[in-house]
Amino acid sequence: MSIQLRPAVITDIDRIFELIQEFSIFQKTPEKVKITPEQMKADMDIFKCLVAVDGNTIIGFSTYYYAYHSWSGKVIYLDDLYVQPAYRGQHIGNLMFDAVMDIGKQTNCIKMKWLVSHWNTKAQDFYKSRGATIEDTEWICDLVF
């Protein structure tokens, strides 16, 4: 097995959408997926995504974006990181995590931020092993237009 990482292209969107749906089931929130492949394709100018590919099959993805925090400056925000269950335990998540972190460093970000579910202790342990601090001082706020 030789997993390759590369930036997503428009022809990957349908497969990435399938994986987003899988991820939402894993997160126990499939009802929260409101995006469509058509919207993702229309947003390719701002949609930042790396895909993990085994041969010709996309088996994982990581999405990210840039933000500016008034207390710290430019950050890269890891929005989602998902690897299909059959490929877990093979350090693919590490590869994708490192790739987004490297993009952040190359684009002069001061840090990387992301969310992790309270119940997902396996992911929390992974992030802690990478040196991350997991804070519980703030709540996520969401306002749908």
Side-chain angles (χ1 to χ4, degrees), residues 5 18 30 38 65 68 87 95-96 113 121 123 127 129 139-140:
L5 296 184
E18 290 173 4
E38 294 74 26
Y65 60 90
Y68 196 87
Y87 289 88
L95 291 173
M96 291 193 297
K113 292 185 72 127
T121 55
Y127 295 136
S129 77
W139 293 92
I140 299 168

Side-chain angles (χ1 to χ4, degrees), residues 10-63:
I10 199 162
T11 54
D12 297 330
I13 295 297
D14 290 333
R15 177 64 180 148
I16 294 167
F17 181 73
E18 290 173 4
L19 293 175
I20 288 170
Q21 291 176 307
E22 276 184 33
F23 185 41
S24 73
I25 292 167
F26 172 78
Q27 286 289 106
K28 303 173 178 91
T29 57
E31 73 283 356
K32 289 189 176 183
V33 176
K34 305 296 183 196
I35 193 83
T36 65
E38 294 74 26
Q39 183 180 353
M40 293 169 69
K41 290 173 185 175
D43 292 337
M44 284 301 288
D45 60 329
I46 60 170
F47 180 65
K48 306 286 186 203
C49 181
L50 298 176
V51 291
V53 182
D54 182 12
N56 292 323
T57 304
I58 297 173
I59 54 90
F61 72 94
S62 55
T63 54

Side-chain angles (χ1 to χ4, degrees), residues 77-88:
Y77 195 95
L78 175 62
D79 186 46
D80 283 327
L81 191 158
Y82 178 73
V83 177
Q84 287 192 289
Y87 289 88
R88 293 185 190 150

Side-chain angles (χ1 to χ4, degrees), residues 62-129:
S62 55
T63 54
Y64 62 94
Y65 60 90
Y66 298 99
Y68 196 87
H69 291 266
S70 58
W71 289 12
S72 57
K74 184 179 178 183
V75 301
I76 192 164
Y77 195 95
L78 175 62
D79 186 46
D80 283 327
L81 191 158
Y82 178 73
V83 177
Q84 287 192 289
Y87 289 88
R88 293 185 190 150
Q90 300 175 40
H91 304 288
I92 299 164
N94 274 310
L95 291 173
M96 291 193 297
F97 186 89
D98 288 345
V100 173
M101 187 170 53
D102 288 343
I103 291 168
K105 289 176 181 178
Q106 292 167 10
T107 56
N108 300 314
C109 293
I110 194 76
K111 64 182 169 180
M112 183 164 75
K113 292 185 72 127
W114 63 95
L115 301 175
V116 63
S117 297
H118 290 285
W119 60 266
N120 195 345
T121 55
K122 190 170 184 177
Q124 292 171 31
D125 291 343
F126 167 72
Y127 295 136
K128 287 177 186 175
S129 77

